[in-house]
Amino acid sequence: MLKGREKTIIHLDMDAYFASVEQRDHPIYQGRPVLVCHTDSVDGVFGVVAAASYEARPFGVKSGMSVFEAKKLCPKGIYLMGDYNKYLHNTKELVKICESFTDQVEVFSIDEMWLDVTETKNRFKEDAGRIAYRLQAEIKSKVGLSSSVGVGPNKLVAKMAGEFHKPGGITVIRPSDLPQILAPLPVKKLFGVGRKMKKHLELIGVATIGDLAEVPDEYLKKRFGVVGLWLKQAAKGLGDDVLASGRGSTSLLVKSFGHSSALGSGEADIDKLCQILLGLCEGVTRRMRRGKYLGRTVTLRLCLARSFGFTRGHTLSGVSDMTETIYPVARALLLKEQPVLAEYPATLIGVSVSNLLFAEKQLSIFDLLDDRFVRLMTAVDKVKDKYGDQLITRATLLDWRRRYHGVEPSRLPKS
Amino acid sequence: MITEIGESIIVAAVFRDNSITPRSFLWRRRRYRVNKVHGHYHYFKGVYRQNCYSLSCETADIFEVSFDAEDMSWRLERVHVEG
């Protein structure tokens, strides 16, 4: 932090983002419970709810819930299939607006971003609350969507401030107000404290953020390692104030690439699961190559018998964006779970690659060993870039595409 | 209620300032005058830009139409009907 000059960070969070976009585009759904689902068909019960409008929430419907459960709780809701091209387009518009306020914009997710407005505030002698109000108003007028805005001295406090008055609120927390505002809040309100950590903290008698701020450092370090110390800093309202910005609105900051597929009533056949996994790896690595990212950690996600799920991960010795490197790792992780799958069929399978490195094409160690695949995938990517993703695929994936995604008839251009 | 249509339509549109705005369309021999464009976005299929619009006409129904820059064709994708 600059000496004598306090940082001012704004956290922007779009209210029920996907559902709000659909309500804006379809005014007949305004004021009604809208549920945007990640599924192949909203007529069925498979898939998960990606976003629920504020009208749907009193029914107990939440993001991440299965469509099956949601339909039981809210049978008269409007169930729509998510259109991620549409949401991404809107996010790019939002980033453009944010970048008109400051060049220091960090995109945290598709509907959340931080803005460092310290320079804007000092240069134009404008109050932080006023900047937040202008940002919110501009988003409403240009994109037609409601947002919640939090202002604080760092990213952590700004994010927590944004949670106070949702939807459509603006909350400003000044450093001098921090102890009075944070101390009485339940510890689960702290960014980074999930269900499990909350239970651990309750066991040591920590119920509020104020309680956590009082626990001795040595005790937290012994019990939770560096995470414990980080949480204590957060409880005192101290946090990271450096924004990972500078990529611009055309290329949002990415932390991982993942694809998943719902498997209906369940799939236990390991060969079919491997085939699906290969298709998912193809999708993930294609997006990585397009975004010029290389990744190191491969994570397999499985949901079993529609009742419980888990992840398994493996970190490579180098980075890669090739299916030929990512898929064998994901497959090995899947094969280890074969005994469990025999008992509980998989209802969802997913793969993601994280620990990313942004690099204008840089050959990884794997690629240097044998660059035939690199040359092949470069050629395949060129064909797909020009004629669309459906035109060319691995022969082993033809059956999977037909069963799980449908195949659009491929067309060559007329000239 | 959502009805998937996926049929070709004839559209009268204004091309201005790097944007395309549909003004009316002909579907199943009936002409629909566009009262409002509620939302629009685009994405790329290969190198070809696909423009998508949510429109309302004389009734409360919402029409989702798309324009494929590959063959300059318009399609009515689906209709959202109240109820």
Side-chain angles (χ1 to χ4, degrees):
Chain A
M1 196 186 293
L2 293 169
K3 202 175 175 185
R5 197 194 270 186
E6 179 180 285
K7 283 261 181 191
T8 304
I9 309 289
I10 287 180
H11 178 257
L12 172 75
D13 187 5
M14 302 309 294
D15 299 324
Y17 187 42
F18 301 163
S20 299
V21 170
E22 296 300 344
Q23 285 179 317
R24 179 202 62 193
D25 289 357
H26 308 97
I28 52 174
Y29 300 147
Q30 281 169 11
R32 298 174 66 182
V34 171
L35 296 108
V36 175
C37 305
H38 184 66
T39 177
D40 289 339
S41 162
V42 285
D43 297 331
V45 291
F46 303 122
V48 291
V49 175
S53 70
Y54 282 95
E55 295 84 355
R57 296 185 187 186
F59 294 92
V61 184
K62 287 185 283 193
S63 308
M65 186 177 265
S66 73
V67 174
F68 177 73
E69 265 181 285
K71 283 194 172 175
K72 276 202 291 190
L73 293 168
C74 186
K76 291 195 175 167
I78 313 288
Y79 290 82
L80 302 170
M81 272 168 70
D83 183 341
Y84 297 95
N85 285 319
K86 185 194 286 187
Y87 311 140
L88 197 58
H89 176 93
N90 279 279
T91 301
K92 285 179 180 170
E93 296 297 312
L94 293 172
V95 177
K96 270 188 213 165
I97 293 173
C98 290
E99 286 178 341
S100 71
F101 282 75
T102 170
D103 60 344
Q104 296 292 303
V105 178
E106 177 179 334
V107 180
F108 182 58
S109 68
I110 196 163
D111 64 345
E112 277 183 72
M113 43 210 85
W114 279 291
L115 294 81
D116 182 341
V117 292
T118 312
E119 281 302 316
T120 315
K121 190 182 123 189
N122 294 335
R123 192 167 297 226
F124 299 101
K125 307 272 177 258
E126 193 177 8
D127 176 62
R130 174 76 196 157
I131 298 173
Y133 173 78
R134 279 201 299 118
L135 174 70
Q136 197 185 49
E138 199 160 326
I139 288 171
K140 185 75 187 166
S141 92
K142 286 191 174 163
V143 193
L145 296 172
S146 161
S147 58
S148 298
V149 182
V151 184
N154 56 49
K155 284 158 69 176
L156 175 93
V157 174
K159 182 168 169 63
M160 287 177 72
E163 299 288 328
F164 282 126
H165 300 105
K166 276 174 132 318
I170 296 175
T171 309
V172 181
I173 299 182
R174 292 176 211 291
S176 54
D177 304 332
L178 271 173
Q180 301 96 290
I181 292 175
L182 292 188
L185 293 175
V187 74
K188 70 171 181 189
K189 290 269 181 192
L190 198 61
F191 182 49
V193 176
R195 225 172 14 179
K196 280 185 186 167
M197 181 54 86
K198 182 182 160 251
K199 274 188 190 166
H200 287 303
L201 290 170
E202 277 171 355
L203 284 174
I204 59 165
V206 170
T208 64
I209 294 177
D211 293 342
L212 180 60
E214 297 295 317
V215 182
D217 284 3
E218 303 77 48
Y219 184 77
L220 284 172
K221 192 174 179 188
K222 199 175 161 195
R223 188 143 184 150
F224 305 111
V226 283
V227 176
L229 294 179
W230 184 86
L231 284 176
K232 181 164 176 180
Q233 290 287 92
K236 288 177 171 176
L238 304 171
D240 182 14
D241 55 6
V242 179
L243 268 61
S245 61
R247 296 288 317 279
S249 53
T250 49
S251 182
L252 307 176
L253 192 74
V254 183
K255 290 192 285 290
S256 68
F257 288 87
H259 276 202
S260 63
S261 181
L263 302 170
S265 55
E267 184 66 78
D269 185 330
I270 202 75
D271 292 332
K272 280 184 189 158
L273 286 171
C274 285
Q275 185 192 26
I276 295 162
L277 193 60
L278 174 61
L280 297 173
C281 289
E282 278 274 275
V284 166
T285 53
R286 161 99 172 116
R287 281 175 52 218
M288 288 173 69
R289 289 191 299 274
R290 192 184 269 170
K292 298 184 170 64
Y293 282 93
L294 297 161
R296 201 165 173 184
T297 303
V298 181
T299 305
L300 172 78
R301 182 175 168 224
L302 286 171
C303 283
L304 306 180
R306 220 180 282 143
S307 53
F308 61 96
F310 58 87
T311 58
R312 295 284 181 266
H314 178 82
T315 299
L316 302 163
S317 54
V319 287
S320 179
D321 57 2
M322 288 285 128
T323 307
E324 276 61 32
T325 312
I326 305 295
Y327 171 65
V329 176
R331 185 172 182 272
L333 293 170
L334 177 66
L335 291 179
K336 276 188 197 163
E337 304 305 326
Q338 211 167 347
V340 187
L341 288 164
E343 206 168 333
Y344 303 101
T347 46
L348 182 139
I349 185 168
V351 65
S352 64
V353 179
S354 55
N355 215 340
L356 301 176
L357 173 72
F358 177 73
E360 293 288 339
K361 189 61 192 170
Q362 170 189 316
L363 287 181
S364 74
I365 186 71
F366 304 105
D367 309 330
L368 288 169
L369 294 175
D370 182 354
D371 74 341
R372 285 177 306 162
F373 286 120
V374 179
R375 284 187 281 131
L376 174 65
M377 291 321 293
T378 306
V380 168
D381 284 346
K382 275 185 186 169
V383 173
K384 286 184 173 182
D385 287 343
K386 189 159 187 182
Y387 301 119
D389 276 3
Q390 305 291 343
L391 191 83
I392 185 164
T393 189
R394 289 170 194 262
T396 47
L397 292 178
L398 283 170
D399 180 44
W400 170 65
R401 279 188 183 274
R402 229 172 266 134
R403 276 191 309 140
Y404 291 98
H405 286 274
V407 176
E408 277 180 43
S410 298
R411 288 176 296 159
L412 279 167
K414 291 177 183 71
S415 56
Chain B
M1 189 180 69
I2 307 163
T3 308
E4 295 290 336
I5 308 291
E7 292 176 16
S8 290
I9 51 174
I10 296 170
V11 176
V14 175
F15 286 64
R16 191 174 59 193
D17 300 332
N18 300 320
S19 74
I20 310 165
T21 310
R23 289 290 161 88
S24 69
F25 61 90
L26 195 67
W27 175 47
R28 294 183 183 172
R29 298 184 178 188
R30 188 181 153 188
R31 183 169 178 247
Y32 294 80
R33 189 188 298 274
V34 175
N35 280 351
K36 192 169 178 189
V37 178
H38 297 287
H40 67 93
Y41 66 98
H42 69 261
Y43 66 96
F44 286 88
K45 197 161 86 183
V47 290
Y48 301 105
R49 184 172 158 140
Q50 314 290 311
N51 284 24
C52 305
Y53 303 85
S54 289
L55 316 169
S56 61
C57 300
E58 291 85 357
T59 62
D61 302 345
I62 303 292
F63 298 86
E64 285 187 27
V65 304
S66 67
F67 174 70
D68 184 343
E70 181 184 357
D71 55 6
M72 305 288 276
S73 66
W74 289 86
R75 271 162 67 96
L76 175 59
E77 302 291 352
R78 59 191 68 82
V79 183
H80 297 250
V81 182
E82 204 154 10

